[in-house]
Amino acid sequence: MKRTALAAAGLGAALLLTGCSNDSGGSSESTTSSGTWTTPAAPTVDMSKYGALPAVAAPAAPTVDCSYPAAGQAAKPVQAPNGTGVSTEGTVPVAMTTNDGPIGLTLDRTKAPCTVNSFVSLAQQGYFDNTPCHRISTSPGLEMLQCGDPSGRGTGGPGYQYANEYPTNAYAPSDPALRKPVVYPRGTVAMANAGADTNGGQFFLVFADSVLAPNYTVFGTISEEGLTTLEKIASAGVEGSTAPGDGAPTNPVTIEAAKVG
């Protein structure tokens, strides 16, 4: 099953973040009177129309127990993490190296202890090493790089799944605000999913303010050096697109290693 995320773009259009589309999210090409082709400037999104992520609640206890039930065949053999007594305190540094440069992450246990616990376990088992980042979106309103599927198809997971955390758990399940887009700020690390509580190994790195419903677990931030790397990747564009789009990166991106600490 493909990991998905929805974003509201300039006029409320939905952008689909999945595994293998090359749809352009920006304006189409048009001709001038001379008959030559030009690409219009990308539309902008007024972020002031959208709310911010909710405040992060203080943890109720210094540890929690997490559940990681089996779900499908693993794209790369790994063990599910230990879910007992998972810390809700502090941060975890992760140094990712890619063929385009370093991407440093700081994972936040207070926001998403079960997600951080899973990501750290996968990184320590080498799950992310030598794997592709299969999708990039450069469309205004959704600017991110998606990684974490060793198969490179956008369908692969680690063989288990787990529940959403922040910001989803800041709302009551019946709260209509769960369907209203908010701004996921530049520098956010969040989980891709295939619906509520289907988190696995795929994650996305936000390199410009993006608009999403609060259904995608936020679990960390990206270093400034990492944002520079992401902007370099984005500048190469989307495969087969001459305008801002959503698909595979023009220049293939590989996570060479992800090291904790």
Side-chain angles (χ1 to χ4, degrees):
M1 185 176 293
K2 293 178 181 177
R3 310 284 102 176
T4 63
L6 294 178
L11 297 176
L15 295 176
L16 190 62
L17 191 164
T18 59
C20 53
S21 169
N22 279 325
D23 293 341
S24 170
S27 302
S28 60
E29 291 184 334
S30 62
T31 57
T32 66
S33 58
S34 64
T36 60
W37 290 90
T38 61
T39 301
T44 59
V45 176
D46 183 357
M47 293 293 168
S48 68
K49 294 181 178 179
Y50 303 98
L53 288 167
V56 181
T63 62
V64 295
D65 289 339
C66 304
S67 178
Y68 302 103
Q73 185 173 355
K76 188 175 182 179
V78 286
Q79 297 295 317
N82 174 28
T84 303
V86 174
S87 176
T88 62
E89 300 174 344
T91 60
V92 181
V94 174
M96 287 202 314
T97 55
T98 77
N99 58 314
D100 280 296
I103 302 177
L105 308 178
T106 300
L107 311 186
D108 189 341
R109 293 192 184 105
T110 300
K111 289 180 177 176
C114 297
T115 303
V116 172
N117 187 52
S118 171
F119 193 95
V120 167
S121 172
L122 292 175
Q124 290 175 333
Q125 294 181 73
Y127 183 78
F128 302 118
D129 295 354
N130 301 308
T131 63
C133 292
H134 62 276
R135 174 168 290 268
I136 192 167
S137 175
T138 57
S139 298
L142 182 61
E143 299 187 58
M144 59 83 224
L145 179 72
Q146 186 175 346
C147 313
D149 173 12
S151 77
R153 295 190 297 267
T155 58
Y160 64 84
Q161 62 187 21
Y162 56 94
N164 287 19
E165 295 183 283
Y166 172 85
T168 309
N169 59 11
Y171 303 85
S174 60
D175 191 336
L178 274 172
R179 297 187 294 275
K180 294 182 178 179
V182 295
V183 177
Y184 278 54
R186 165 183 159 88
T188 296
V189 186
M191 293 300 297
N193 62 51
D197 303 329
T198 61
N199 302 286
Q202 292 189 44
F203 60 96
F204 58 99
L205 306 168
V206 179
F207 52 84
D209 289 356
S210 296
V211 184
L212 296 154
N215 298 315
Y216 307 94
T217 297
V218 172
F219 67 104
T221 56
I222 307 165
S223 68
E224 284 300 321
E225 184 179 45
L227 287 167
T228 298
T229 297
L230 290 167
E231 287 163 352
K232 174 185 174 184
I233 292 167
S235 68
V238 179
E239 187 175 58
S241 177
T242 58
D246 187 348
T250 296
N251 294 337
V253 180
T254 300
I255 297 174
E256 296 171 341
K259 303 299 182 185
V260 177

